[in-house]
Amino acid sequence: MKKLNSKHFMAFAGVVILLVFFSSCKTEVKTEKEGQYPIEPVPFTSVHVTDQFWAPKIKINHNVTIPIAIEQSEISGRVKNFEIAAGDAKGEFCSEYPFDDSDIYKIIEAASYSLQTMPDSALQKKLDELIEKIRKAQEEDGYIYTNLTIAEKNGTNPHPWVGDGRWNKVHELSHELYNLGHMFEAAVAHYQATGQRNFLDIAIKAADMLDRTFGWGKLEDYPGHQVVEMGLVKLYRATNEKRYLDLAKFFLDVRGPGGSEYNQAHEKVVDQTRAVGHAVRATYMYSGMADIAALYNDESYLHASRAIWQDMVYGKTYVTGGIGASGGNEGFDEPYNLPNMAAYCETCASIGDVFWNYRLFLSDGEAKYMDVLERTLYNALISGVSLTGDRFFYPNVLESIGQHSRSKWFGCACCPPNIARLLPSLPGYVYAKTNDAIYINLYMSNTAQIKLGDEDVTISQETQYPWNGLVKMTINPENKARFALKLRIPGWARNEAIPGDLYTFMDGVNPEVTLNVNGKDMKVKPEHGYVTIDRKWTKGDVVSLNMPMEPREVKADENIKADADKMAIQRGPLMYAAEWPDVEDGKVLNLIFDKDKELTVEHNDHLLNGVYTINIPARIARATKDGGLEYSEEKIVKLIPYYAWNNRGPGEMAVWLPYNEKSVRPLPAPSIASKSKLSASRPTKSLIAINDQLMPKDANDHTWPYYHWWPENNAWEWVQYDFDSEETVNKVKVYWFDDGPFGGCRIPAEWKVMYKSGKNWVPVKTLGQYTITKDSWDSVNIEPVKTTALRMMVKLPERFSTGIHEWVIE
């Protein structure tokens, strides 16, 4: 299962919080905070984005994605759960997962941010209605978790993950604290965006209940899925109620040792040095650790955060910025184990990675964190939503044979509302400040109003980034004022593909970045990734920064076996991919590319909402029947930005491009199976796996696609080949997919082969026994038959399902 968590660093922002005095029964909202980050964000409310890359995405998010999220929450019963818990409707818990309340909170957070950019009275009214339903569902003492409340009202059992009552399985799968963390984040976002306190008071009531329940000498337990820590910190920063900050630290301090790596409870958090386990849980926890490190000035927390970050970035991050290689734990694998087609790279993990890196920047002021953030943002994160805003990826692979496509929604719907709240919060990541300096971290056309000490400073950016590296910044202080302007020079413009050496540029070129102020050239000597311009600023001062955006070839560390003898193409912050519509016969994975030829760039205004593409020479590699290779003539292949793939339908795609025979995957010589038409008792896109001639190394190999019948069990299922013409068959063999002991598939209970005779299916006559083995081929010789179709019948085990890697016919 998965959860998500987005937090828009607006909460960090000191966002124009109103100083209002309420009655003594309410927590007072204040403007001054006891704890601060060394660097403070400039809130999203102060930055108006006008560019042609992000502004349209934010608009589509408002007009399409958020309404879809609301609609799906109503269709799935997530909204009705609150009505039933409040006593305004009758029935059982409606939706699939007991933690589904969290999606409503994330949607409110997304809409709150979006209302700041695009006022919408209808959306505001909808939020008020949702918040009122939440208020009525909240129990008298502040507890709110509709699955348990409904069960208690009906006298029925809650979901098995919940246990017998409150907090019984809090560090397992109930996710009661996970839900509340999202509520706290949403309530603060709503208060900051609207000035209304209706949701904030609900959150305060729930937080006070938590504070009475958990803590040293009380219930000493931790959440199974982190996020409550970040939510409590946001609530503290909005109210200055230090109990909430202390409780956030408690939930971290009480974690480990002796728990599971899966949810990062194997060690005390301050003793951890490796990125492990479920990637979304991990990045949410690491974000909370960064909060505590800064607000308590706790060096042990910061030391652990830096060590974990280095472990992740130096060995466990994809070239797209995605994290979490393994689908089995939806998280981190061992260093350098970064498969491409089996990459998980959950969208929510990318969002969590953005949260964490920004917090580390606020603590250390080093551009390397923003470099990772930018790489993730422009690639692995926004690939999670279609250009139309209505289709979503859960995993974000780096290679496909066509089995992947975005979905309208998910049962565990963490990713869509998570990305819906990240996009409108993006303006809050552009700038940051200290008392005497302004950091410019991201480049996009915008106008920002920044309070710097006693001075009001307006900064306007004009740029076509990420398509062009020229940025013009106009500085307008209200009065002449001296302060430092710190411009991030991205790693890609400093000849650094990523912090560390996991990926490096192949050409050895050092880009020449130029900078001038009011037309006067300045030396570009970055420190910690920033060029500092310290001067007295006057209205109308203009800073021009130009970062060359030549396409660059990237190679991976030699320890990443999946990328050996391959290259990835990067231009500016964007990674590129070869995709099926742009190549002959839609075949991408069998191309060999020329790494020595010049790459050319082309603007395509009508392609994929307007993109710059890269042209690269390539040839098709084919296997011959005698085991050799042959190549087509060289042709130009058009590469597209990775984030835009799969917007023209499913098909082959690759980020890592082979450039020699050792890494190319030639088109296989035709076989009976490869030329056959496929069908199955339960057809899915992955059915193409059974005759793709990509052979597994073991039953649980996720390198290549596989077909499965999960979650079906204890039943007969089938797969079928239909031939173009009559074929003579004398042998069949099959390699089973089995992801035991943790997955849901096992080798079958039995299997048999049928052939088509006229309109009837007839069992083949075998010349031996049907064997059933794991991690090897099961083959059976048969009396030769002439037929136009072959069907394999598979009996699924009593308690498990079954899958197939490959089915070969001879």
Side-chain angles (χ1 to χ4, degrees):
M1 306 310 104
K2 281 160 233 160
K3 295 106 237 38
L4 13 158
N5 205 310
S6 216
K7 46 143 282 29
H8 297 138
F9 289 101
M10 317 339 167
F12 282 86
V15 176
V16 191
I17 294 182
L18 313 172
L19 183 59
V20 183
F21 294 96
F22 295 89
S23 63
S24 59
C25 66
K26 293 184 177 180
T27 298
E28 188 174 318
V29 179
K30 300 179 179 180
T31 54
E32 295 189 6
K33 311 290 189 299
E34 294 178 11
Q36 296 285 359
Y37 270 87
I39 301 170
E40 282 292 298
V42 172
F44 77 105
T45 49
S46 299
V47 183
H48 179 56
V49 172
T50 58
D51 77 335
Q52 294 304 305
F53 188 85
W54 290 110
K57 295 182 187 302
I58 293 170
K59 184 176 181 180
I60 290 171
N61 186 69
H62 180 91
N63 293 339
V64 179
T65 309
I66 291 174
I68 284 174
I70 294 172
E71 178 186 33
Q72 289 290 342
S73 293
E74 291 173 339
I75 292 171
S76 65
R78 283 168 168 81
V79 174
K80 190 175 181 182
N81 287 336
F82 287 94
E83 296 170 353
I84 298 171
D88 290 340
K90 295 187 181 298
E92 301 296 325
F93 186 80
C94 301
S95 56
E96 187 173 355
Y97 297 104
F99 49 80
D100 282 339
D101 296 357
S102 63
D103 294 325
I104 301 299
Y105 303 145
K106 284 176 278 191
I107 290 166
I108 293 174
E109 183 180 359
S112 297
Y113 290 135
S114 199
L115 285 171
Q116 273 293 316
T117 305
M118 282 163 270
D120 183 332
S121 58
L123 183 58
Q124 179 65 66
K125 181 181 178 183
K126 188 65 180 180
L127 291 195
D128 289 340
E129 292 172 356
L130 289 173
I131 291 168
E132 179 61 14
K133 294 178 191 294
I134 294 167
R135 185 192 67 79
K136 295 178 73 174
Q138 187 172 34
E139 297 188 21
E140 187 60 33
D141 67 346
Y143 182 83
I144 180 166
Y145 185 78
T146 63
N147 186 272
L148 184 57
T149 300
I150 291 170
E152 290 177 343
K153 281 181 179 291
N154 293 339
T156 57
N157 293 323
H159 194 284
W161 293 351
V162 179
D164 297 330
R166 293 185 186 183
W167 321 121
N168 282 353
K169 295 187 176 182
V170 69
H171 71 255
E172 297 174 47
L173 285 171
S174 77
H175 296 336
E176 292 156 277
L177 292 172
Y178 168 79
N179 277 12
L180 289 174
H182 278 301
M183 179 212 269
F184 299 154
E185 290 193 309
V188 172
H190 180 261
Y191 172 73
Q192 292 175 333
T194 67
Q196 296 178 354
R197 196 180 160 118
N198 50 339
F199 199 11
L200 186 67
D201 286 338
I202 296 170
I204 287 170
K205 185 176 180 180
D208 289 343
M209 175 272 302
L210 280 189
D211 185 57
R212 293 191 302 270
T213 305
F214 288 88
W216 303 115
K218 306 174 193 176
L219 181 55
E220 298 181 2
D221 211 342
Y222 56 88
H225 193 305
Q226 302 88 320
V227 81
V228 70
E229 304 86 350
M230 285 197 292
L232 284 165
V233 170
K234 283 191 171 186
L235 198 59
Y236 155 70
R237 289 177 66 86
T239 65
N240 206 26
E241 178 54 71
K242 193 169 181 294
R243 289 182 296 119
Y244 305 151
L245 181 63
D246 292 339
L247 186 58
K249 187 173 186 296
F250 161 79
F251 281 129
L252 291 167
D253 287 342
V254 77
R255 197 175 204 90
S260 171
E261 274 196 356
Y262 175 72
N263 63 7
Q264 300 78 41
H266 57 298
E267 295 176 315
K268 303 298 289 184
V269 297
V270 294
D271 295 329
Q272 295 187 30
T273 58
R274 299 177 299 121
V276 297
H278 189 278
V280 182
R281 300 174 194 234
T283 52
Y284 290 171
M285 186 182 87
Y286 304 153
S287 297
M289 290 170 62
D291 283 339
I292 296 304
L295 301 182
Y296 279 90
N297 193 25
D298 190 320
E299 188 61 32
S300 64
Y301 265 85
L302 194 54
H303 176 78
S305 296
R306 289 168 178 155
I308 296 167
W309 182 87
Q310 182 166 313
D311 178 70
M312 182 188 78
V313 174
Y314 285 29
K316 300 175 181 177
T317 297
Y318 281 91
V319 74
T320 57
I323 56 171
S326 169
N329 65 347
E330 296 179 333
F332 296 104
D333 208 322
E334 293 303 308
Y336 309 114
N337 188 12
L338 296 167
N340 292 310
M341 195 176 295
Y344 202 69
C345 295
E346 185 181 337
T347 299
C348 291
S350 291
I351 291 169
D353 200 20
V354 165
F355 296 161
W356 181 31
N357 275 280
Y358 195 60
R359 284 167 162 84
L360 289 172
F361 156 74
L362 295 174
S363 288
D364 287 0
E366 295 195 30
K368 63 183 181 181
Y369 303 117
M370 294 304 304
D371 288 344
V372 174
L373 186 156
E374 182 181 67
R375 175 174 294 273
T376 304
L377 180 66
Y378 277 94
N379 299 288
L381 194 155
I382 56 172
S383 68
V385 61
S386 66
L387 298 177
T388 50
D390 59 354
R391 293 291 187 276
F392 309 93
F393 273 143
Y394 216 125
N396 293 270
V397 300
L398 281 75
E399 188 173 271
S400 179
I401 63 169
Q403 75 275 39
H404 302 99
S405 60
R406 292 183 179 85
S407 301
K408 292 177 64 175
W409 204 249
F410 306 103
C412 182
C414 52
C415 295
N418 216 10
I419 204 165
R421 64 189 183 130
L422 185 283
L423 285 173
S425 75
L426 181 62
Y429 295 83
V430 178
Y431 301 96
K433 63 179 183 175
T434 61
N435 289 334
D436 57 2
I438 296 174
Y439 288 81
I440 302 182
N441 289 315
L442 297 177
Y443 297 108
M444 61 187 72
S445 292
N446 71 84
T447 300
Q449 306 291 332
I450 301 173
K451 188 75 173 178
L452 192 66
D454 295 330
E455 295 293 332
D456 292 318
V457 180
T458 301
I459 297 181
S460 297
Q461 287 190 42
E462 297 175 49
T463 181
Q464 294 180 353
Y465 199 91
W467 310 121
N468 188 294
L470 178 62
V471 187
K472 175 185 174 184
M473 292 155 277
T474 303
I475 316 300
N476 285 312
E478 187 175 26
N479 303 294
K480 286 186 178 181
R482 187 175 192 91
F483 57 86
L485 198 65
K486 291 181 173 288
L487 309 178
R488 182 176 70 94
I489 308 301
W492 59 262
R494 293 183 279 108
N495 206 37
E496 180 182 82
I498 193 171
D501 56 4
L502 194 61
Y503 306 106
T504 54
F505 292 118
M506 298 172 67
D507 55 23
V509 172
N510 287 306
E512 186 178 351
V513 177
T514 59
L515 174 68
N516 69 66
V517 179
N518 297 329
K520 182 179 179 180
D521 291 341
M522 297 189 62
K523 290 184 178 180
V524 180
K525 291 186 176 180
E527 292 185 9
H528 303 297
Y530 289 89
V531 169
T532 301
I533 308 173
D534 193 339
R535 70 193 299 270
K536 183 172 283 189
W537 298 92
T538 304
K539 285 184 180 179
D541 284 341
V542 175
V543 178
S544 291
L545 175 66
N546 193 12
M547 300 169 284
M549 277 194 175
E550 297 303 318
R552 308 284 301 275
E553 297 164 345
V554 178
K555 66 178 180 179
D557 185 288
E558 63 182 12
N559 291 298
I560 304 178
K561 302 305 181 186
D563 303 335
D565 298 300
K566 297 178 182 179
M567 62 183 174
I569 307 299
Q570 179 172 351
R571 181 175 184 266
L574 297 174
M575 297 307 305
Y576 278 72
E579 194 186 19
W580 66 272
D582 306 311
V583 298
E584 182 179 314
D585 298 327
K587 297 294 185 181
V588 167
L589 303 183
N590 319 107
L591 296 175
I592 184 167
F593 294 82
D594 193 332
K595 67 181 178 64
D596 298 318
K597 292 287 182 69
E598 181 182 1
L599 305 175
T600 59
V601 180
E602 183 179 352
H603 181 227
N604 291 264
D605 192 47
H606 301 292
L607 176 66
L608 300 167
N609 289 358
V611 296
Y612 280 71
T613 57
I614 296 174
N615 296 323
I616 182 172
R619 293 174 294 159
I620 300 170
R622 291 185 174 89
T624 59
K625 290 185 177 180
D626 60 4
L629 287 179
E630 61 182 18
Y631 298 96
S632 70
E633 292 183 1
E634 190 172 83
K635 296 186 178 181
I636 297 299
V637 174
K638 180 184 296 183
L639 306 182
I640 64 167
Y642 166 76
Y643 75 81
W645 87 278
N646 203 258
N647 279 276
R648 296 174 289 176
E652 293 194 5
M653 181 277 296
V655 171
W656 286 98
L657 311 177
Y659 56 77
N660 65 32
E661 291 186 1
K662 290 187 291 184
S663 58
V664 72
R665 186 186 313 149
L667 286 170
S671 68
I672 298 175
S674 70
K675 294 186 295 183
S676 300
K677 179 183 176 183
L678 284 164
S679 57
S681 53
R682 300 178 187 275
T684 66
K685 288 186 177 66
S686 64
L687 184 58
I688 58 177
I690 70 172
N691 69 344
D692 60 12
Q693 300 189 49
L694 299 174
M695 305 307 177
K697 66 178 184 294
D698 57 49
N700 196 21
D701 187 359
H702 288 68
T703 304
W704 311 126
Y706 48 87
Y707 172 75
H708 61 79
W709 286 281
W710 188 87
E712 304 302 323
N713 58 56
N714 197 30
W716 280 97
E717 302 286 354
W718 56 268
V719 291
Q720 179 175 321
Y721 285 140
D722 285 279
F723 311 139
D724 290 337
S725 59
E726 193 173 66
E727 298 279 0
T728 300
V729 179
N730 54 42
K731 183 178 182 179
V732 296
K733 61 180 184 178
V734 60
Y735 204 111
W736 305 110
F737 172 74
D738 183 321
D739 58 359
F742 303 112
C745 289
R746 301 292 185 273
I747 56 176
E750 56 181 298
W751 66 290
K752 58 186 177 182
V753 178
M754 317 279 285
Y755 71 95
K756 198 168 188 179
S757 177
K759 294 183 178 180
N760 300 317
W761 288 100
V762 180
V764 299
K765 294 181 180 179
T766 65
L767 301 178
Q769 300 296 316
Y770 286 106
T771 59
I772 304 174
T773 56
K774 181 178 177 180
D775 297 326
S776 64
W777 290 92
D778 283 320
S779 62
V780 61
N781 292 314
I782 62 178
E783 288 188 4
V785 295
K786 288 187 176 182
T787 182
T788 58
L790 213 62
R791 176 177 286 187
M792 179 162 59
M793 304 294 299
V794 180
K795 177 65 182 300
L796 308 185
E798 183 177 352
R799 294 185 298 111
F800 294 97
S801 196
T802 287
I804 299 172
H805 279 290
E806 197 77 14
W807 178 23
V808 175
I809 300 172
E810 298 177 1

